[in-house]
mmCIF file of all heavy atoms in Angstrom:
data_model
loop_
_atom_site.group_PDB
_atom_site.id
_atom_site.type_symbol
_atom_site.label_atom_id
_atom_site.label_comp_id
_atom_site.label_asym_id
_atom_site.label_seq_id
_atom_site.Cartn_x
_atom_site.Cartn_y
_atom_site.Cartn_z
ATOM 1 N N GLN D 1297 15.738 32.447 29.216
ATOM 2 C CA GLN D 1297 17.093 32.088 29.648
ATOM 3 C C GLN D 1297 17.678 31.045 28.706
ATOM 4 O O GLN D 1297 17.017 30.081 28.335
ATOM 5 C CB GLN D 1297 17.048 31.537 31.079
ATOM 6 C CG GLN D 1297 18.402 31.129 31.639
ATOM 7 C CD GLN D 1297 18.282 30.616 33.060
ATOM 8 O OE1 GLN D 1297 17.396 31.028 33.797
ATOM 9 N NE2 GLN D 1297 19.163 29.713 33.441
ATOM 10 N N GLN D 1298 18.921 31.238 28.325
ATOM 11 C CA GLN D 1298 19.598 30.291 27.458
ATOM 12 C C GLN D 1298 20.220 29.165 28.276
ATOM 13 O O GLN D 1298 20.688 29.394 29.402
ATOM 14 C CB GLN D 1298 20.703 30.999 26.661
ATOM 15 C CG GLN D 1298 20.188 32.021 25.670
ATOM 16 C CD GLN D 1298 19.396 31.384 24.549
ATOM 17 O OE1 GLN D 1298 19.753 30.313 24.061
ATOM 18 N NE2 GLN D 1298 18.305 32.028 24.166
ATOM 19 N N PRO D 1299 20.219 27.939 27.754
ATOM 20 C CA PRO D 1299 20.896 26.857 28.479
ATOM 21 C C PRO D 1299 22.387 27.133 28.566
ATOM 22 O O PRO D 1299 22.950 27.833 27.719
ATOM 23 C CB PRO D 1299 20.599 25.622 27.616
ATOM 24 C CG PRO D 1299 20.270 26.153 26.268
ATOM 25 C CD PRO D 1299 19.623 27.479 26.497
ATOM 26 N N PRO D 1300 23.051 26.633 29.587
ATOM 27 C CA PRO D 1300 24.487 26.876 29.741
ATOM 28 C C PRO D 1300 25.277 26.313 28.574
ATOM 29 O O PRO D 1300 24.930 25.266 28.013
ATOM 30 C CB PRO D 1300 24.821 26.155 31.055
ATOM 31 C CG PRO D 1300 23.721 25.149 31.234
ATOM 32 C CD PRO D 1300 22.501 25.761 30.647
ATOM 33 N N ALA D 1301 26.328 27.019 28.193
ATOM 34 C CA ALA D 1301 27.175 26.563 27.087
ATOM 35 C C ALA D 1301 27.857 25.258 27.468
ATOM 36 O O ALA D 1301 28.285 25.064 28.606
ATOM 37 C CB ALA D 1301 28.212 27.632 26.758
ATOM 38 N N ALA D 1302 27.923 24.354 26.515
ATOM 39 C CA ALA D 1302 28.554 23.058 26.761
ATOM 40 C C ALA D 1302 29.021 22.489 25.430
ATOM 41 O O ALA D 1302 28.421 22.764 24.385
ATOM 42 C CB ALA D 1302 27.577 22.097 27.434
ATOM 43 N N PRO D 1303 30.094 21.699 25.431
ATOM 44 C CA PRO D 1303 30.517 21.069 24.176
ATOM 45 C C PRO D 1303 29.472 20.040 23.739
ATOM 46 O O PRO D 1303 28.734 19.502 24.574
ATOM 47 C CB PRO D 1303 31.839 20.393 24.553
ATOM 48 C CG PRO D 1303 31.759 20.192 26.034
ATOM 49 C CD PRO D 1303 30.971 21.341 26.559
ATOM 50 N N PRO D 1304 29.355 19.754 22.445
ATOM 51 C CA PRO D 1304 28.415 18.730 21.978
ATOM 52 C C PRO D 1304 28.692 17.390 22.646
ATOM 53 O O PRO D 1304 29.832 17.059 22.977
ATOM 54 C CB PRO D 1304 28.689 18.661 20.473
ATOM 55 C CG PRO D 1304 29.289 19.982 20.131
ATOM 56 C CD PRO D 1304 30.093 20.378 21.340
ATOM 57 N N SER D 1305 27.626 16.624 22.857
ATOM 58 C CA SER D 1305 27.768 15.349 23.528
ATOM 59 C C SER D 1305 26.722 14.368 23.019
ATOM 60 O O SER D 1305 25.805 14.737 22.276
ATOM 61 C CB SER D 1305 27.615 15.512 25.050
ATOM 62 O OG SER D 1305 26.303 15.954 25.371
ATOM 63 N N LEU D 1306 26.852 13.133 23.439
ATOM 64 C CA LEU D 1306 25.938 12.073 23.010
ATOM 65 C C LEU D 1306 24.493 12.390 23.383
ATOM 66 O O LEU D 1306 23.566 12.153 22.606
ATOM 67 C CB LEU D 1306 26.374 10.757 23.662
ATOM 68 C CG LEU D 1306 25.896 9.444 23.046
ATOM 69 C CD1 LEU D 1306 26.409 9.292 21.616
ATOM 70 C CD2 LEU D 1306 26.331 8.272 23.910
ATOM 71 N N GLN D 1307 24.284 12.944 24.574
ATOM 72 C CA GLN D 1307 22.936 13.263 25.037
ATOM 73 C C GLN D 1307 22.571 14.729 24.829
ATOM 74 O O GLN D 1307 21.413 15.106 25.046
ATOM 75 C CB GLN D 1307 22.781 12.882 26.515
ATOM 76 C CG GLN D 1307 23.058 11.419 26.813
ATOM 77 C CD GLN D 1307 22.244 10.458 25.945
ATOM 78 O OE1 GLN D 1307 21.138 10.783 25.508
ATOM 79 N NE2 GLN D 1307 22.789 9.276 25.703
ATOM 80 N N GLY D 1308 23.519 15.552 24.423
ATOM 81 C CA GLY D 1308 23.233 16.939 24.115
ATOM 82 C C GLY D 1308 22.725 17.736 25.299
ATOM 83 O O GLY D 1308 22.933 17.379 26.465
ATOM 84 N N VAL D 1309 22.049 18.832 25.006
ATOM 85 C CA VAL D 1309 21.433 19.693 26.020
ATOM 86 C C VAL D 1309 19.922 19.613 25.825
ATOM 87 O O VAL D 1309 19.411 19.982 24.765
ATOM 88 C CB VAL D 1309 21.919 21.145 25.904
ATOM 89 C CG1 VAL D 1309 21.179 22.036 26.893
ATOM 90 C CG2 VAL D 1309 23.430 21.210 26.149
ATOM 91 N N SER D 1310 19.220 19.142 26.839
ATOM 92 C CA SER D 1310 17.772 18.945 26.765
ATOM 93 C C SER D 1310 17.065 19.984 27.624
ATOM 94 O O SER D 1310 17.279 20.040 28.837
ATOM 95 C CB SER D 1310 17.391 17.540 27.237
ATOM 96 O OG SER D 1310 17.929 16.549 26.382
ATOM 97 N N VAL D 1311 16.225 20.806 26.995
ATOM 98 C CA VAL D 1311 15.439 21.820 27.697
ATOM 99 C C VAL D 1311 13.997 21.326 27.770
ATOM 100 O O VAL D 1311 13.389 20.982 26.759
ATOM 101 C CB VAL D 1311 15.513 23.173 26.980
ATOM 102 C CG1 VAL D 1311 14.627 24.199 27.675
ATOM 103 C CG2 VAL D 1311 16.961 23.656 26.935
ATOM 104 N N ALA D 1312 13.457 21.279 28.985
ATOM 105 C CA ALA D 1312 12.135 20.699 29.218
ATOM 106 C C ALA D 1312 11.154 21.764 29.694
ATOM 107 O O ALA D 1312 11.541 22.803 30.239
ATOM 108 C CB ALA D 1312 12.234 19.585 30.267
ATOM 109 N N GLY D 1313 9.874 21.483 29.490
ATOM 110 C CA GLY D 1313 8.839 22.368 29.990
ATOM 111 C C GLY D 1313 7.501 21.650 30.034
ATOM 112 O O GLY D 1313 7.189 20.837 29.164
ATOM 113 N N TRP D 1314 6.723 21.930 31.076
ATOM 114 C CA TRP D 1314 5.369 21.382 31.156
ATOM 115 C C TRP D 1314 4.490 22.167 30.200
ATOM 116 O O TRP D 1314 4.585 23.383 30.125
ATOM 117 C CB TRP D 1314 4.806 21.511 32.574
ATOM 118 C CG TRP D 1314 5.626 20.852 33.637
ATOM 119 C CD1 TRP D 1314 6.247 21.469 34.681
ATOM 120 C CD2 TRP D 1314 5.918 19.455 33.775
ATOM 121 N NE1 TRP D 1314 6.914 20.556 35.459
ATOM 122 C CE2 TRP D 1314 6.729 19.310 34.928
ATOM 123 C CE3 TRP D 1314 5.581 18.318 33.038
ATOM 124 C CZ2 TRP D 1314 7.197 18.065 35.364
ATOM 125 C CZ3 TRP D 1314 6.046 17.082 33.464
ATOM 126 C CH2 TRP D 1314 6.847 16.960 34.612
#
Side-chain angles (χ1 to χ4, degrees):
Q1297 180 179 331
Q1298 294 294 321
S1305 64
L1306 200 62
Q1307 302 307 331
V1309 175
S1310 296
V1311 177
W1314 302 117

